[in-house]
Amino acid sequence: KNYWLDVILGEINEYRPFAVLGAQYDGDKWDAFYEQIPISLLHHTNGNGIYNTSHPLLERLVGQLEVEAPCPYNSIPYDYRMSQMWVEGTLGIVPKLAPKIMLNEEGQNITLS
């Protein structure tokens, strides 16, 4: 597509300031179980976004991802994990982890501190 970069730069200028600019899933494959999907998944920004690396919110989110690197939260895709952090911080909804994420290599429960 011609001038695609100009279109992106126009979007950046229109929506500035932002931490992450991108699209959310807008398909119908989740319709059958929509009510069961966590709000953080329903409203997460697709990982193929534009990241404003100088925005304080993005700096905080990335910093938290770095802190979580050695723990089970690291198994969650970064774009979804950032949405979980946003929802937890703004709405107080703590994400539920899949039970297997909370097991170590020997199958024993991991306790988060």
Side-chain angles (χ1 to χ4, degrees):
K1 186 173 180 179
N2 291 335
Y3 303 103
W4 62 269
L5 186 55
D6 293 329
V7 171
I8 291 174
L9 291 173
E11 295 271 320
I12 289 170
N13 288 326
E14 180 180 347
Y15 292 104
R16 185 176 282 152
F18 61 86
V20 181
L21 180 63
Q24 295 177 352
Y25 177 71
D26 192 26
D28 59 4
K29 295 192 185 299
W30 296 351
D31 288 356
F33 49 92
Y34 187 86
E35 298 298 323
Q36 301 167 12
I37 300 174
I39 189 170
S40 54
L41 182 56
L42 289 174
H43 299 289
H44 86 283
T45 301
N46 183 300
N48 296 325
I50 298 171
Y51 296 84
N52 182 352
T53 57
S54 64
H55 194 283
L57 176 59
L58 184 62
E59 290 176 356
R60 297 284 305 265
L61 292 172
V62 170
Q64 182 62 30
L65 290 172
E66 290 172 347
V67 167
E68 294 178 355
C71 83
Y73 282 112
N74 191 35
S75 64
I76 300 169
Y78 73 93
D79 53 340
Y80 178 39
R81 181 66 190 123
M82 287 194 304
S83 180
Q84 288 179 327
M85 288 186 273
W86 172 259
V87 168
E88 183 175 358
T90 58
L91 301 176
I93 300 172
V94 179
K96 295 179 182 169
L97 292 176
K100 286 190 175 186
I101 290 177
M102 297 305 296
L103 300 177
N104 64 17
E105 293 80 21
E106 289 82 36
Q108 300 167 329
N109 284 327
I110 297 171
T111 304
L112 297 177
S113 55

